[in-house]
Amino acid sequence: MNKKDIWRYKSLEQLENKSWGTATEEDSGLIKKCIALSKVPVVKLTASELRVLIGQSFNPTYLVPLAVEILKDNVLVEAGLYPGDLLKNVLDVPTPFWEEHQDLHENVKDLIRQRSEEIETEIDLPGFWRNA
């Protein structure tokens, strides 16, 4: 294993050095799910779990690269809701993240360019991504 990939085998709690605590009975199902997922090594997260965490604004620095790997294999993967739902959540990550991570930005732009017709029939591209 490459030393630079060690982060993949850590949970969000370990990577951020922050505990999300334990879910309570009063917490919603979504909160309970996110707290549980924050304790799982990020490499083990499924497309659906990545969609949820990215959609809830959990740390994109660790989650978006994993999502992009999945999207390279299937740009319109259905991650629990509809075809392209993981892509939609990735595209909704705020612009400052993409400005800071130009390599990922270029990877996603390439995916969009290569599959633009197919993507645009399934999801509405946010303005930032139109004419990628």
Side-chain angles (χ1 to χ4, degrees), residues 68-126:
V68 170
E69 288 175 10
I70 292 169
L71 295 171
K72 283 181 179 179
D73 288 334
N74 182 358
V75 74
L76 292 175
V77 63
E78 183 174 338
L81 298 176
Y82 55 86
D85 55 358
L86 177 60
L87 175 62
K88 179 70 171 130
N89 279 18
V90 166
L91 297 180
D92 286 342
V93 170
T95 302
F97 171 82
W98 298 108
E99 291 169 347
E100 236 179 84
H101 298 87
Q102 286 295 313
D103 56 332
L104 285 172
H105 184 217
E106 288 302 319
N107 286 339
V108 174
K109 282 176 26 179
D110 287 344
L111 281 172
I112 292 171
R113 279 188 214 115
Q114 293 166 11
R115 309 276 298 277
S116 62
E117 287 182 33
E118 185 180 356
I119 290 168
E120 290 177 12
T121 62
E122 295 294 334
I123 65 171
D124 186 28
L125 287 174

Side-chain angles (χ1 to χ4, degrees), residues 27-85:
D27 289 331
S28 70
L30 180 59
I31 290 172
K32 288 177 183 175
K33 183 174 191 165
C34 289
I35 289 172
L37 292 175
S38 72
K39 299 172 187 334
V40 174
V42 294
V43 74
K44 291 188 176 186
L45 296 171
T46 65
S48 178
E49 293 164 342
L50 287 167
R51 176 191 54 79
V52 168
L53 290 169
I54 292 168
Q56 293 304 308
S57 301
F58 277 72
N59 196 326
T61 300
Y62 302 112
L63 302 176
V64 169
L66 298 171
V68 170
E69 288 175 10
I70 292 169
L71 295 171
K72 283 181 179 179
D73 288 334
N74 182 358
V75 74
L76 292 175
V77 63
E78 183 174 338
L81 298 176
Y82 55 86
D85 55 358

